[in-house]
Amino acid sequence: VRPVPRAPFEALEGLSPETWAAIEVAALEANDSYLTTFLEPGSFCPFSKGGRKRGQTARFVHRTESTEVEPLLARMLEVARDPSKLVIQVIVPLVEVEPAAWSAFCRALTEAGNDRLRGESPDGGDILAVAPLHPELPYTTRSPYSLIPLFRRTPDPTIQWVRNDALEALYRGRTGDTVFIDPAEVLSAVARPPAPDLFTRIAESNVKMAQRLGIAEVERTLRELAAVARERYARIVLGADPARGAVAVQGAVAEEPALASPRAPLARREGRVALARASELLPRVPVRVEADDVELIVVRGSEGLHVLHGRCPHRSASLADAIVADDHLVCRRHGWDFLLASGRSAGVPGAEIARFDAEIDDDLVWIEERSLARWRAENPVIEPYDEQ
Ligand code: FES
């Protein structure tokens, strides 16, 4: 049995569970952006979209609170025993690691895991193949194969495991050829071919697509996705607004300021209630207001002002101290996120907070009293926040 490799990155200590939860949301969204703005529209991986829809892919975010590698290995053994998942990604945000060291680590980890699983594989072969993904993988344009690492430039270092048996079954229906390929050459779930011509076909079609888009443009797009993710992590780690106190910094968790009590409305006129002065709203700093027994937040995002219900639907924590980044609110308690523009969560399917139509008049932010009455009628009981 091959030894478990050492982690090629430092531990990131001192981040609170809430900060990690927010990072987790951001990492999954960064990965979503990679899939939905690059990989899938460009058809670089024909399996990606269908696999996601059929629930055959699984994604995890690994918290590098320590450099222990056993939890990653345990994750690998767990997913290897779930045949319903064909592609598994473990995203490792916020680590500083060179692409070569990352690739070597992913391969050594997978070899160690496959060794431990040896007795469970029907043919004694490897259960999972690995494709290391990293935002700076080196590539060249010399051949379709040497260009492959460009398409694997995910926003964060990521381990991608692919089930060998399921893919073999998948391809058995398409071709009778049998070839052995280096797992390192796995392009993606569907790009692990039993026949070299299929592999070549996919690699070549990717080249054509990359040439149509422009290789420099592909590189720029992927760099930008990684930069957006890094910036968002930085904002989460350092706090959305330093004036409000850092959420956490490496090595220490800073005091969070106590929540301000909700303000009362500033005025009422013709069935409308004024919640705040528009000119006093700082970008990304929610203001907490209570009007007609409904707790609200007023937030200035990049595209205007938003009035939203001020309690998180998860456990009813106040959203008055939520982190605002990229026009998302991220609840500090466990990291649920909500888009300012719709109130919907991008990270938690089905989760949503109410949004109230607002207008600015005389520098005041107004909403309809009727909309508050409607909200109260639909939500008669508000559970107090539960610290668990
Ligand atoms: S995410 Fe748990 S209370 Fe908001």
Side-chain angles (χ1 to χ4, degrees), residues 7-23:
F9 48 78
E10 304 274 305
L12 199 53
E13 291 162 355
L15 298 188
S16 67
E18 292 77 16
T19 305
W20 273 116
I23 288 167

Side-chain angles (χ1 to χ4, degrees), residues 91-365:
I91 303 164
V92 189
L94 281 169
V95 291
E96 293 293 331
V97 57
E98 293 294 318
W102 178 248
S103 298
F105 171 71
C106 291
R107 292 191 181 116
L109 178 76
T110 306
E111 283 171 1
N114 277 324
D115 278 355
R116 288 200 195 174
L117 290 161
R118 193 72 62 210
E120 299 175 36
S121 159
D123 59 359
D126 290 348
I127 292 189
L128 297 179
V130 69
L133 314 178
H134 186 289
E136 283 152 33
L137 285 179
Y139 73 93
T140 76
T141 52
R142 274 198 302 272
S143 78
Y145 309 105
S146 67
L147 194 60
I148 288 171
L150 173 63
F151 312 123
R152 294 178 175 169
R153 287 188 166 192
T154 45
D156 292 298
T158 299
I159 307 169
Q160 179 169 276
W161 284 308
V162 184
R163 288 192 74 82
N164 281 328
D165 58 356
L167 289 166
E168 269 152 28
L170 186 71
Y171 279 98
R172 214 172 294 132
R174 299 193 190 180
T175 170
D177 296 357
T178 303
V179 294
F180 294 95
I181 62 155
D182 177 355
E185 286 302 309
V186 171
L187 169 60
S188 66
V190 86
R192 183 185 172 279
D197 56 352
L198 177 61
F199 185 57
T200 304
R201 242 183 6 249
I202 291 174
E204 283 175 351
S205 96
N206 281 350
V207 171
K208 282 198 194 114
M209 177 58 84
Q211 280 167 345
R212 258 202 303 282
L213 297 172
I215 304 256
E217 180 59 20
V218 169
E219 188 173 327
R220 193 196 61 74
T221 303
L222 294 177
R223 246 185 229 296
E224 200 173 293
L225 291 177
V228 167
R230 269 199 311 276
E231 194 190 318
R232 193 162 167 206
Y233 300 145
R235 271 192 262 159
I236 291 171
V237 172
L238 297 172
D241 179 348
R244 299 164 68 217
V247 183
V249 289
Q250 277 194 42
V253 177
E255 286 274 298
E256 281 188 29
L259 268 184
S261 317
R263 290 188 191 171
L266 299 178
R268 289 185 188 264
R269 195 192 297 156
E270 293 157 5
R272 297 185 307 169
V273 52
L275 305 176
R277 278 193 191 288
S279 56
E280 287 174 1
L281 290 166
L282 298 173
R284 304 188 306 279
V285 181
V287 166
R288 189 181 188 196
V289 186
E290 191 174 305
D292 300 351
D293 295 326
V294 182
E295 192 169 325
L296 302 162
I297 49 168
V298 188
V299 194
R300 183 184 289 285
S302 67
E303 289 181 5
L305 299 179
H306 306 269
V307 177
L308 298 141
H309 184 239
R311 290 269 161 189
C312 178
H314 178 217
R315 292 227 180 106
S316 210
S318 172
L319 292 169
D321 63 350
I323 295 163
V324 184
D326 296 336
D327 283 335
H328 273 72
L329 277 176
V330 181
C331 177
R332 283 184 190 255
R333 302 315 176 282
H334 317 95
W336 284 30
D337 74 299
F338 308 94
L339 287 162
L340 291 177
S342 65
R344 284 194 207 105
S345 173
V348 182
E352 193 171 353
I353 48 174
R355 242 188 131 265
F356 297 83
D357 288 338
E359 50 186 9
I360 301 168
D361 193 355
D362 269 351
D363 192 37
L364 293 174
V365 183

